[in-house]
Amino acid sequence: MSSNRPPADHFTGHEEYYFGLVFNTPIMGTPVRGWHILVLIIIVALRYIVTKAMTPEASVRARHVLVSTEEECEKLKAKIEAGELTFAEAAEGYSSCPSGKGGGKLGTFGPGRMVPAFDKVCFSAASPLNQPIGPVQTHFGFHLILIEWRHMPGADDKKAA
């Protein structure tokens, strides 16, 4: 069996002992080699990078209804608050955004992913959860927003089912 060892004159003192522990310790019957450790370090580093990139510091899950006029937005808000329509029904029936087909679901997003006026409402601690908010005007039109869930580190976390 070939060894993964440097020449004998390479070691002094306890280095040979530690080298043997690290590189000749069997894991599941196979001695650990230098490349095993390198691969492990790369995997751990990549997992950390991906996790940090995929997890924004703050996040929101929201729905919206997009209409062309403020009056139409106000009427829909009144119908939702009166219980005549659910938010999803309003999005499916009246929204001009493609997300309307899915009940207005926008999914979970972090700060800066939406237009500034929309972001400001979604990431404001004053905006209530699970209640229609709006009209909010953007260059797309007028939005009625429903914040389902919000995570704001450093503040009191607000979550709703």
Side-chain angles (χ1 to χ4, degrees):
M1 181 171 154
S2 65
S3 176
N4 190 20
R5 300 169 56 100
D9 60 347
H10 179 78
F11 293 112
T12 58
H14 297 296
E15 292 173 341
E16 186 167 0
Y17 171 76
Y18 292 115
F19 181 87
L21 282 179
V22 171
F23 291 100
N24 293 323
T25 302
I27 295 178
M28 295 193 303
T30 306
V32 176
R33 303 289 181 222
W35 66 270
H36 289 111
I37 294 170
L38 181 60
V39 168
L40 181 62
I41 290 169
I42 291 170
I43 290 170
V44 169
L46 286 173
R47 185 172 183 188
Y48 175 78
I49 291 167
V50 168
T51 303
K52 283 303 253 181
M54 299 298 284
T55 309
E57 291 184 10
S59 57
V60 167
R61 184 175 65 221
R63 296 175 180 252
H64 82 130
V65 178
L66 176 63
V67 293
S68 57
T69 66
E70 187 172 7
E71 295 78 30
E72 190 177 3
C73 197
E74 289 286 356
K75 286 179 187 176
L76 286 173
K77 183 177 180 181
K79 285 183 178 183
I80 293 167
E81 288 175 340
E84 295 174 34
L85 283 173
T86 66
F87 198 91
E89 291 169 345
E92 289 168 359
Y94 298 94
S95 186
S96 60
C97 180
S99 69
K101 294 176 186 170
K105 289 182 183 179
L106 296 172
T108 303
F109 54 91
R113 300 287 304 192
M114 302 293 174
V115 292
F118 200 97
D119 245 18
K120 185 177 179 181
V121 169
C122 289
F123 290 96
S124 169
S127 298
L129 297 177
N130 292 312
Q131 294 178 22
I133 304 164
V136 176
Q137 185 177 10
T138 69
H139 65 278
F140 295 108
F142 292 88
H143 301 264
L144 196 54
I145 302 170
L146 182 80
I147 302 167
E148 297 178 318
W149 177 89
R150 180 189 304 123
H151 172 69
M152 302 286 284
D156 290 335
D157 290 351
K158 293 183 177 181
K159 294 187 179 184

